[in-house]
Amino acid sequence: MNNDMLIRVTRYYRALNRLRTIGLEKVFAHNLADAAGVSAAVVRKDFSQLEIHGQKRGGYEITDLIERIGSILGKGDEQHVIVVGCGRIGKALMHYSGFESDGIRIVAGFDNDPLVYSDPSQPIPVYPMSRLEEVIGALKVDVAIITVPESAATDTYSDLLAAGITGVMNFSPVTLKPVRTRDGIMPVVHNINIGLELEQIFYELKFPKE
Amino acid sequence: MNNDMLIRVTRYYRALNRLRTIGLEKVFAHNLADAAGVSAAVVRKDFSQLEIHGQKRGGYEITDLIERIGSILGKGDEQHVIVVGCGRIGKALMHYSGFESDGIRIVAGFDNDPLVYSDPSQPIPVYPMSRLEEVIGALKVDVAIITVPESAATDTYSDLLAAGITGVMNFSPVTLKPVRTRDGIMPVVHNINIGLELEQIFYELKFPKE
């Protein structure tokens, strides 16, 4: 499955879970197409590649589809994430409950500021950065969200890899690169650069593709 | 220029501005390669396609490069953005000053909650949603960041297009699609789905590409 197809299939999976929540039992290719922003023909092609077949004219059973696609995506247990850097963006993520319907839960935050990590009003436990390795080991977490300031991003990234993190979503404007660790592990890094996205939007408005 | 190249060139541009800020005058292909997460060969290929030539062994003059790439990217005046939905994520963006070095400024926020739009402690003016069209017209803004809850995303998107917005960065988990408006304008929409990104990281960790 290539990256574009993975994105689509993950979107189908999310849409299916939402449709089930509102009580639907059956779904048609064009419902999923709408949810994923593609055409119904693309949905049918993806399903045929995944060897998922609907009933003629009857659409697909949502429960079946969730199970099939879930096992393809390797779903199962709840997936745990930590947030490193509990400034405004980090705190917004810690308070956001929208991941839970996707089986993702933020289990801990980390910050250097004693006013932050000793504040009992946080929705989840926040630890000092010095306890990164200990807590990651104890909680057996693989994935971290980096929301530290730009100047701290590179060091934080090295510390996380050294502490056993293998997946990173980076919100700092520094582009972090996946570099094989001493243990031979190639981390998965997604850089989300909000300023860069905005610049691209301005560029595309200025020089339309069509 | 295709999308991948646009992303790289935008990264070069950002890196150049940062390097100039710290007092550098010259830059080499491998410096920009590091900053953009590509190889020096890719930087040289991009530059040759853009008809940018360095001095032999001397690297590139940073000021020259910024001017050349800036004009290719259509840079010039400051670019204005509004934030629609001033919850935690919206507020975090309004307080974030990291865009300013890229010439991007958030000029207004919008929210339905009187406690939010009448709060004088906001770093930028926040208006009620009912004033969307009026304020967008007065400020001549083209680009909006959507940070409303999932249930309000689709309606907000329609309202923004009706009010003349042509570029959207959407942080809600709903996938918004670019649909040609009545005025024949095709909006530019970037969907940033944090839950989806996390799911992809988990998937890539479970099923490595190599």
Side-chain angles (χ1 to χ4, degrees):
Chain A
M1 176 148 47
N2 68 27
N3 243 347
D4 285 346
M5 181 168 167
L6 170 57
I7 292 173
R8 290 194 303 272
V9 172
T10 313
R11 286 200 168 129
Y12 305 153
Y13 186 75
R14 291 167 62 90
L16 287 165
N17 275 301
R18 276 153 215 265
L19 292 171
R20 182 169 59 175
T21 310
I22 58 174
L24 263 69
E25 286 177 14
K26 293 228 175 185
V27 72
F28 295 86
H30 71 256
N31 300 134
L32 294 175
D34 284 349
V38 295
S39 72
V42 169
V43 175
R44 284 191 207 99
K45 216 177 108 196
D46 286 342
F47 279 16
S48 123
Q49 199 181 318
L50 298 173
E51 296 179 0
I52 293 173
H53 307 287
Q55 292 141 326
K56 217 176 179 181
R57 285 202 200 97
Y60 305 86
E61 293 278 351
I62 290 180
T63 325
D64 277 8
L65 271 187
I66 288 176
E67 200 176 303
R68 290 290 300 277
I69 297 181
S71 84
I72 290 163
L73 292 175
K75 297 280 175 187
D77 299 337
E78 200 179 56
Q79 291 169 315
H80 291 178
V81 181
I82 56 171
V83 169
V84 186
C86 301
R88 286 178 188 275
I89 293 182
K91 277 193 193 124
L93 293 174
M94 295 198 302
H95 278 90
Y96 180 66
S97 57
F99 307 141
E100 278 162 33
S101 58
D102 306 313
I104 293 170
R105 197 155 66 86
I106 297 176
V107 291
F110 292 87
D111 205 279
N112 256 334
D113 182 348
L115 288 181
V116 176
Y117 61 74
S118 57
D119 174 3
S121 76
Q122 306 293 353
I124 53 165
V126 176
Y127 302 95
M129 294 291 252
S130 56
R131 295 185 62 191
L132 211 51
E133 195 160 351
E134 172 207 343
V135 178
I136 287 171
L139 298 177
K140 296 190 178 60
V141 181
D142 298 318
V143 174
I145 304 177
I146 295 183
T147 44
V148 299
E150 177 167 9
S151 56
T154 311
D155 286 346
T156 302
Y157 178 51
S158 313
D159 292 348
L160 286 169
L161 295 184
I165 288 294
T166 51
V168 167
M169 179 153 82
N170 169 38
F171 276 98
S172 85
V174 179
T175 306
L176 300 176
K177 277 157 276 186
V179 178
R180 197 176 292 281
T181 65
R182 268 187 242 170
D183 308 329
I185 291 167
M186 183 58 104
V188 173
V189 182
H190 285 213
N191 293 293
I192 299 191
N193 190 320
I194 301 170
L196 204 64
E197 291 282 342
L198 284 173
E199 282 185 66
Q200 284 170 38
I201 292 173
F202 281 109
Y203 180 86
E204 289 170 41
L205 287 176
K206 204 145 191 165
F207 304 104
K209 281 172 202 165
E210 7 162 41
Chain B
M1 174 148 51
N2 69 26
N3 242 348
D4 285 346
M5 182 167 165
L6 170 57
I7 292 174
R8 290 195 302 273
V9 173
T10 313
R11 287 201 167 129
Y12 304 153
Y13 186 76
R14 291 167 61 89
L16 287 165
N17 276 302
R18 276 153 215 266
L19 292 171
R20 182 169 58 176
T21 310
I22 58 173
L24 264 68
E25 288 177 10
K26 294 229 174 182
V27 72
F28 295 85
H30 72 254
N31 301 133
L32 294 175
D34 284 348
V38 295
S39 71
V42 169
V43 175
R44 285 191 206 98
K45 217 177 107 193
D46 286 342
F47 278 16
S48 123
Q49 198 181 320
L50 299 173
E51 296 180 2
I52 294 173
H53 307 286
Q55 292 141 326
K56 216 176 181 181
R57 288 204 198 93
Y60 305 87
E61 294 279 350
I62 289 180
T63 325
D64 278 8
L65 272 187
I66 288 176
E67 200 176 303
R68 289 291 298 278
I69 297 181
S71 83
I72 291 163
L73 292 176
K75 297 282 176 185
D77 298 338
E78 200 179 52
Q79 290 169 316
H80 291 179
V81 181
I82 56 170
V83 169
V84 186
C86 301
R88 286 180 188 273
I89 293 183
K91 278 194 192 122
L93 293 174
M94 294 199 302
H95 278 91
Y96 181 67
S97 57
F99 307 141
E100 277 162 32
S101 59
D102 305 312
I104 293 170
R105 197 154 65 86
I106 298 176
V107 291
F110 291 87
D111 204 279
N112 257 334
D113 183 348
L115 288 181
V116 176
Y117 62 72
S118 57
D119 173 4
S121 77
Q122 305 293 354
I124 53 166
V126 176
Y127 302 94
M129 294 290 254
S130 57
R131 295 184 62 191
L132 211 50
E133 194 159 351
E134 172 207 344
V135 178
I136 287 171
L139 297 178
K140 296 191 177 60
V141 181
D142 297 317
V143 175
I145 303 177
I146 295 184
T147 44
V148 299
E150 177 168 9
S151 56
T154 311
D155 286 347
T156 303
Y157 178 51
S158 313
D159 292 348
L160 286 169
L161 294 185
I165 288 294
T166 51
V168 167
M169 178 154 81
N170 169 37
F171 276 97
S172 85
V174 179
T175 306
L176 300 175
K177 278 157 275 186
V179 177
R180 197 176 293 279
T181 65
R182 268 187 242 171
D183 308 330
I185 291 167
M186 184 57 105
V188 173
V189 181
H190 284 214
N191 293 292
I192 300 191
N193 190 319
I194 301 170
L196 203 64
E197 292 281 342
L198 283 172
E199 283 185 66
Q200 283 170 40
I201 292 173
F202 281 109
Y203 179 86
E204 288 170 41
L205 287 175
K206 204 146 188 165
F207 304 105
K209 281 175 203 163
E210 4 162 43

